[in-house]
């Protein structure tokens, strides 16, 4: 029976070979993109993780050891994120307990697969052809440096995106006739994902639920204006669903910010305040969003590529993708009345996201600046917009529709190649040489040490837990960094410890003399530092107290 269904799907009677090719092609692209992306990251990504990324694997290991979904013995970072990467990382660590990077990549493969399935679920609800597989294939590609870094590689935004897509998909499927059981499951999915999104912080509420509710209000007004004597039942139904989901997500966020904030240690975005009404800043934020689709932005790189380089030329295809997104939005808004009822929400939702998120990003301020990565939560809606335009536009001649699809594939593939090359050459916070130091420490049998944040957690993941690092925010005082670290580190380690730092870092803290007064067991002797962070040094001390004494003595003015 299943074999017959598969054959029916693959071979439609009377279908021309050209039509079959274009029906199969995006699925082949999706499978190839997913496989190649994960293969490249598995083979070449280990040296490029940073301490932020490593912190998620360390938390998963802690939760496996102590149990529970959350840990009161962990300093979280900017958000608590209840339903987050550790869910799959914990399972992956059971498969690869002695290779944490392999566990991370297995977890990332799972999260990326969930993203693809969630997108296909939404596209099915929108009645897009082949369940919107073209956009799903694009999401399997590392089409921009920000997306590569916080998507397939580091994964920081994938859970947020998945929860949003599942909520949206549940809303769309609740508009359709269904059995009682299926209806109950769809409601459970909607409520569950909305609560989980709220418990993960403000990203989902701000990025999707509020813009969705606002877009539906506009949709109801426009539909009622078109036909004042006939209530737009389906649009009103979707408005009710979006308002209900927003209320549920909001309640989850209240629980997150008022209850969980008192039980666990983390920062949030509640300190943001309104600044000036900056319309130029709004345009700048829209530009940041469009740059996500492959434009080689310097904000995600240590150095921007030259125009006439491989990366520069391939990255220019991102401008074409950005232009296609703007064109598609304009065309769909102009043809809004001709779209199917469930499809009309896409251009309105996309415009609502641009206005609401853009105003929040441009007209509020905090200690942490806003950059393009904050838009990653809503990137899939751009691909829904593009495919909806491609399917509903009147192309003349007719072959231009398929030509546009192939052009989309070419643009995404080109910017993916550019982004991967740029990330491995100039990505932010990447430091492959530090991996060399880590391997040396493990080979020499060291197990516990001190370092500043960007040199600390990453050693623990690379060594698969063999190196336990006490991460400090200040080398002079050895104050612990209260972010992505076990609170148990308030107790100093017993026995021999090492300090990993660089000459340049010692100079910043006024501790250059420490190299001459301590036992140095590793040093980069090259005249030119092999690492962009400087010349690495490893010094050993009999215990933590001896290290504190040596640091105090090395400070200018001591003794």
């Amino acid at each position: 029976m299943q074999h017959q269904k598969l054959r029916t799907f693959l071979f439609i009677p009377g279908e021309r070979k050209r039509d079959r090719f274009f029906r199969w092609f995006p699925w082949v692209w999706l499978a190839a993109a997913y496989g190649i992306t994960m293969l490249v990251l598995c083979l070449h990504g280990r040296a490029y993780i940073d301490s932020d990324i490593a912190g998620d694997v360390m938390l998963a290991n802690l939760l496996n050891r102590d149990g529970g979904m959350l840990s009161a013995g962990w300093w979280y970072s900017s958000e608590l994120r209840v339903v987050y990467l550790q869910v799959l990382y914990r399972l992956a660590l059971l498969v690869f307990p002695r290779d944490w990077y392999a566990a991370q990549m297995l977890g990332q493969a799972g999260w990326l697969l969930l993203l693809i399935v969630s997108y296909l679920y939404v596209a099915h609800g929108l009645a897009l052809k082949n369940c919107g597989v073209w956009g799903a294939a694009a999401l399997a590609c590392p089409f921009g440096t920000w997306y590569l870094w916080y998507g397939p590689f580091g994964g920081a935004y994938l859970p947020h995106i998945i929860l949003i897509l599942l909520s949206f998909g549940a809303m769309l499927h609740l508009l359709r006739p269904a059995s009682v059981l299926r209806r109950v499951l769809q409601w459970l999915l909607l409520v569950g994902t909305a609560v989980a999104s709220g418990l993960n912080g403000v990203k989902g509420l701000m990025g999707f639920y509020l813009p969705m509710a606002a877009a539906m209000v506009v949709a109801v007004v426009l539909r009622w204006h078109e036909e004042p004597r006939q209530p737009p039942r389906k649009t009103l139904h979707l408005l009710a669903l979006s308002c209900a989901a927003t209320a549920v997500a909001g309640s989850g966020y209240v629980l997150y910010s008022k209850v969980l904030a008192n039980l666990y240690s983390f920062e949030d975005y509640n300190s943001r305040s309104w600044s000036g009404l900056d319309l130029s800043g709004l345009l700048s934020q829209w530009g940041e969003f469009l740059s996500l689709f492959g434009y080689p932005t310097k904000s995600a790189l240590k150095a921007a590529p030259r125009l006439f380089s491989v990366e520069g030329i391939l990255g220019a295809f991102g401008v074409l993708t950005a232009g296609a997104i703007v064109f598609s939005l304009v065309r769909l808004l102009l043809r809004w009345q001709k779209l199917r009822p469930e499809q009309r929400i896409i251009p309105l939702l996309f415009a609502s996201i641009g206005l609401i998120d853009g105003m929040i990003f441009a007209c509020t301020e905090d200690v942490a600046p806003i950059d393009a990565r904050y838009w990653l939560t809503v990137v899939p809606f751009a691909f829904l917009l593009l495919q909806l335009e491609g399917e509903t536009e009147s192309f003349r001649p007719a072959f231009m529709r398929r030509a546009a699809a192939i052009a989309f594939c070419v643009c995404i593939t080109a910017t993916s190649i550019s982004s991967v090359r740029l990330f491995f050459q100039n990505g932010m916070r990447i430091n492959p040489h530090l991996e060399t130091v880590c391997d040396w420490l493990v080979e020499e049998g060291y197990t516990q040490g001190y370092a500043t944040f960007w040199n600390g957690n990453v050693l623990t993941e690379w060594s698969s837990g063999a190196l336990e690092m006490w991460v400090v925010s200040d080398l002079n005082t050895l104050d612990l960094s209260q972010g992505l670290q076990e609170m148990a580190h308030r107790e100093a380690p017993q026995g021999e410890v090492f300090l990993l730092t660089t000459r340049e870092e010692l100079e910043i803290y006024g501790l250059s003399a420490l190299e001459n007064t301590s036992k140095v067991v590793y040093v980069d002797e090259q005249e030119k530092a092999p690492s962009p962070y400087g010349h690495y040094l490893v010094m050993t001390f009999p215990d933590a107290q001896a290290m504190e004494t040596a640091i105090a003595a090395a400070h200018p003015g001591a003794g």
Side-chain angles (χ1 to χ4, degrees):
M1 186 66 178
Q2 296 298 325
H3 176 75
Q4 183 62 33
K5 287 183 178 180
L6 178 61
R7 182 173 179 80
T8 302
F9 170 77
L10 293 176
F11 301 98
I12 298 176
E15 184 181 34
R16 294 183 302 177
K17 290 184 178 180
R18 182 183 304 174
D19 296 336
R20 184 180 301 155
F21 170 81
F22 276 95
R23 186 165 57 85
W24 285 3
F25 176 79
W27 292 102
V28 173
W29 179 30
L30 169 60
Y34 178 81
I36 293 172
T37 296
M38 293 313 305
L39 182 63
V40 169
L41 295 179
C42 287
L43 295 179
H44 302 289
R46 184 177 184 270
Y48 297 88
I49 62 172
D50 59 39
S51 287
D52 262 343
I53 295 172
D56 294 315
V57 184
M58 292 168 59
L59 174 59
N61 181 68
L62 174 66
L63 294 174
N64 277 353
R65 187 188 72 197
D66 297 344
M69 285 189 62
L70 298 170
S71 175
W74 177 260
W75 279 305
Y76 290 85
S77 58
S78 56
E79 291 175 303
L80 182 62
R81 301 163 184 161
V82 177
V83 183
Y84 199 56
L85 296 174
Q86 66 269 17
V87 175
L88 294 187
Y89 283 5
R90 293 177 68 178
L91 298 175
L93 282 170
L94 299 178
V95 180
F96 296 108
R98 293 184 176 84
D99 191 338
W100 287 14
Y101 183 71
Q104 182 197 351
M105 286 297 99
L106 179 60
Q108 282 301 108
W111 281 113
L112 187 58
L113 183 60
L114 282 175
L115 173 64
I116 292 167
V117 171
S118 302
Y119 183 90
L120 294 173
Y121 178 60
V122 171
H124 179 267
L126 291 169
L128 295 178
K129 293 179 180 178
N130 285 330
C131 293
V133 65
W134 291 92
L139 287 172
C141 297
F143 53 80
T145 47
W146 280 119
Y147 179 71
L148 168 61
W149 189 5
Y150 288 95
F153 186 49
Y157 276 75
L158 293 188
H160 299 292
I161 300 172
I162 290 167
L163 291 172
I164 286 172
L165 289 177
L166 290 176
S167 285
F168 188 39
M171 292 183 205
L172 295 171
H173 284 84
L174 280 167
L175 298 176
R176 299 181 171 190
S179 64
V180 175
L181 177 59
R182 181 168 294 184
R183 185 76 68 195
V184 170
L185 292 176
Q186 289 165 348
W187 269 108
L188 288 175
L189 179 62
L190 176 58
V191 173
T193 53
V195 169
S197 187
L199 290 174
N200 272 11
V202 75
K203 286 186 174 69
L205 194 63
M206 178 187 68
F208 169 70
Y209 293 100
L210 289 176
M212 176 68 182
M216 288 316 305
V217 170
V218 174
V220 169
V221 171
L222 291 176
R223 290 290 293 134
W224 231 322
H225 177 73
E226 288 177 357
E227 301 180 30
R229 297 182 180 180
Q230 183 177 353
R233 289 185 176 83
K234 185 170 283 191
T235 309
L236 285 170
H237 189 188
L238 196 52
L239 171 62
L241 290 171
S242 62
C243 290
T246 302
V248 172
S251 65
Y253 182 69
V254 170
L255 177 63
Y256 160 89
S257 59
K258 300 300 181 182
V259 178
L260 298 181
N262 295 323
L263 300 175
Y264 301 96
S265 175
F266 64 94
E267 299 175 1
D268 56 35
Y269 295 100
N270 290 338
S271 60
R272 294 201 70 83
S273 59
W274 289 103
S275 58
L277 183 61
D278 187 0
L279 295 182
S280 64
L282 177 61
L283 290 175
S284 177
Q285 285 300 324
W286 289 344
E288 291 276 13
F289 171 74
L290 293 174
S291 73
L292 290 174
F293 298 91
Y295 185 83
T297 173
K298 190 174 182 180
S299 59
L301 303 167
K302 291 177 180 175
R306 298 190 308 273
L307 176 61
F308 295 107
S309 64
V310 173
E311 297 81 8
I313 294 172
L314 293 178
F317 281 88
V319 178
L320 299 180
T321 305
I325 292 170
V326 175
F327 176 83
S328 298
L329 176 61
V330 173
R331 286 293 299 159
L332 288 171
L333 289 174
L334 292 175
R335 294 186 293 107
W336 185 78
Q337 295 176 335
K338 299 179 181 180
L339 300 175
R340 296 175 56 162
E342 67 271 19
Q343 294 177 342
R344 291 177 177 179
I345 187 56
I346 291 300
L348 290 180
L349 174 59
F350 193 79
S352 178
I353 288 171
L355 286 172
I356 293 176
D357 288 6
M359 290 296 292
I360 292 173
F361 294 158
C363 301
T364 63
E365 58 186 7
D366 197 357
V367 176
I370 294 292
D371 51 42
R373 87 185 98 161
Y374 288 85
W375 287 101
L376 285 170
T377 313
V378 296
V379 157
F381 294 100
F383 295 135
L384 292 171
L385 188 84
L386 286 170
Q387 183 152 356
L388 182 59
E389 165 63 11
E391 292 185 9
T392 60
E393 184 62 76
S394 298
F395 284 91
R396 296 186 182 88
F399 73 84
M400 291 300 295
R401 190 185 312 277
R402 288 176 172 173
I406 295 299
F408 172 70
C409 175
V410 170
C411 288
I412 294 296
T413 302
T415 55
S416 296
I417 296 171
S418 171
S419 298
V420 169
R421 289 173 61 94
L422 286 171
F423 179 78
F424 287 135
Q425 293 172 4
N426 297 300
M428 291 285 284
R429 300 204 296 262
I430 61 173
N431 187 10
H433 181 66
L434 183 56
E435 185 187 24
T436 304
V437 184
C438 177
D439 292 341
W440 182 88
L441 287 166
V442 173
E443 289 172 4
E444 294 298 315
Y446 294 103
T447 58
Q448 50 192 16
Y450 282 76
T452 51
F453 182 77
W454 296 114
N455 293 331
N457 287 349
V458 66
L459 298 183
T460 302
E461 178 174 345
W462 275 330
S463 65
S464 299
L467 296 176
E468 185 174 4
M469 299 302 298
W470 275 251
V471 178
V472 298
S473 58
D474 189 322
L475 287 182
N476 283 307
T477 61
L478 295 181
D479 291 335
L480 291 176
S481 174
Q482 296 189 6
L484 302 181
Q485 181 168 201
E486 288 190 50
M487 292 183 182
H489 283 181
R490 285 181 286 205
E491 294 284 338
Q494 299 298 312
E496 185 183 35
V497 298
F498 66 84
L499 173 64
L500 184 146
T501 183
T502 65
R503 285 175 178 161
E504 289 73 12
E505 190 174 55
L506 290 176
E507 184 178 352
I508 291 173
Y509 286 101
L511 296 173
S512 297
L514 188 63
E515 180 181 356
N516 300 321
T517 59
S518 303
K519 181 181 178 182
V520 178
V521 294
Y522 182 97
V523 59
D524 290 330
E525 295 289 1
Q526 296 95 325
E527 182 177 343
K528 180 180 179 181
S531 161
Y533 292 86
H535 295 78
Y536 276 105
L537 301 170
V538 176
M539 293 167 272
T540 60
F541 304 88
D543 53 40
Q545 183 61 49
M547 182 178 66
E548 291 181 24
T549 302
I551 288 174
H555 200 275

